[in-house]
Amino acid sequence: ILISGRGSNMRALFEATLPAKIVAVVSNNPTAPGLEYAREQDTETRVINHRDFADRNAFDAALASEVDSFAPDLVVLAGFMRILTEAFVLRFAGRILNIHPSLLPAFPGVNTHQRALDEGVRLHGCTVHFVTTALDHGPIVIQAAVPVLPEDDEKTLAARVLEQEHHIFPLAVRWFLDDRISLHDGKVRIDSTLHFPDAVISPNHLSPDDQS
Ligand code: GRF
C-alpha cells in the first residue's frame, strides 16, 4: 500500500481482513500519520522521500525497486499524492488500484470536493480504478455516489465521500484478490454474481452478454 498522509483508506484495508497479507506500507512522506498505524499492525514500512531525488524519474525508480522487493501481487494507492511515471505504471501494469475522491471522469486531479461545490453538481462521490499512464483516467472498477446538499461545505462533502471510499476500496481490492475483476479492451469486467451495495453505481459497462 502506498500512502502520503492520513491513511484512513489504508486503515479500511487493514480492517477489512482481506484474503491477502499487506506486505508493506510505503510512503513518500516521512511524517505521514498513516505510517504509525501500519507499524502498530506489525507491517513493514518504508519511506522513499521524493525530496531526496533530483527528479520524478529517479524517485519513481527508487520507489519501484522498493515496491518490487516485496513482490506484491497488487499495488494499492491509498491517498498516494505523487503522480507516477509511465515506467512505474508499466512495471506494475494491471495490478495497481487507486481511489479517487470524485465520480471520474469528472474532477480528475486535486481539490475535487471544492470543485464539485463550485460546479453545483448534485451528485458527487468516489471511484476505484486501475492505474494507467493517463492520470485519473484508468478503467473504472467501482464508484459510489453521494448527494451534494445545499448546506454542504468542502469539509462536510469530503466526509460524506470518505465514508463511501472506505466501503468501496476494500470491496474492489477483495474482488481483485479473488480474481473477480479483469480488464477487457480497457474496461473492467466484473463477475456477474457479485452483489452491489445500494450506494454503488457500477458496473455501468456490464452488458447482458458479459453476464453469461
Ligand atoms: C482520499 O480522499 C483519497 O481518495 C485521495 O486522498 C485522500 C486520502 O485520504 N486520493 P486517506 O489518507 O486515505 O485518509
Side-chain angles (χ1 to χ4, degrees):
I1 303 180
L2 271 53
I3 64 168
S4 295
R6 177 177 56 183
S8 70
N9 276 290
M10 172 204 70
R11 190 177 178 137
L13 293 169
F14 272 101
E15 289 173 352
T17 55
L18 296 163
K21 178 175 164 59
I22 298 173
V23 285
V25 172
V26 182
S27 176
N28 65 301
N29 170 12
T31 60
L35 285 170
E36 191 52 41
Y37 176 84
R39 286 187 201 111
E40 285 165 15
Q41 311 311 305
D42 289 329
T43 297
E44 297 262 5
T45 60
R46 297 283 188 279
V47 173
I48 309 287
N49 189 341
H50 60 279
R51 294 180 199 279
D52 295 341
F53 296 87
D55 57 32
R56 197 181 290 282
N57 286 333
F59 166 69
D60 263 26
L63 183 69
S65 62
E66 194 64 55
V67 170
D68 243 353
S69 74
F70 292 98
D73 295 309
L74 175 64
V75 178
V76 179
L77 308 185
F80 184 69
M81 302 306 282
R82 304 296 300 172
I83 295 170
L84 294 165
T85 58
E86 190 170 316
F88 186 99
V89 171
L90 294 179
R91 188 151 162 180
F92 302 99
R95 52 195 179 105
I96 314 175
L97 287 176
N98 182 46
I99 180 98
H100 182 78
S102 78
L103 290 173
L104 290 173
F107 311 123
V110 295
N111 299 326
T112 56
H113 307 306
Q114 189 57 53
R115 286 158 63 207
L117 289 168
D118 292 346
E119 291 292 344
V121 297
R122 301 294 190 243
L123 273 180
H124 187 42
C126 47
T127 303
V128 180
H129 66 96
F130 280 99
V131 174
T132 62
T133 52
L135 178 67
D136 293 334
H137 271 290
I140 291 172
V141 176
I142 188 169
Q143 297 183 299
V146 301
V148 180
L149 304 178
E151 63 272 23
D152 268 335
D153 58 20
E154 195 179 1
K155 209 171 150 199
T156 57
L157 185 55
R160 193 174 307 119
V161 171
L162 191 65
E163 199 184 330
Q164 294 306 318
E165 294 185 37
H166 297 163
H167 283 139
I168 66 169
F169 208 15
L171 207 53
V173 169
R174 185 184 301 279
W175 291 346
F176 180 90
L177 297 170
D178 288 344
D179 282 331
R180 303 186 90 170
I181 52 177
S182 52
L183 284 173
H184 291 271
D185 300 329
K187 290 208 171 95
V188 179
R189 188 176 286 177
I190 302 179
D191 186 330
S192 61
T193 61
L194 291 172
H195 164 73
F196 290 93
D198 290 342
V200 171
I201 292 174
S202 192
N204 51 10
H205 43 259
L206 272 187
S207 70
D209 285 347
D210 290 324
Q211 302 190 29
S212 60

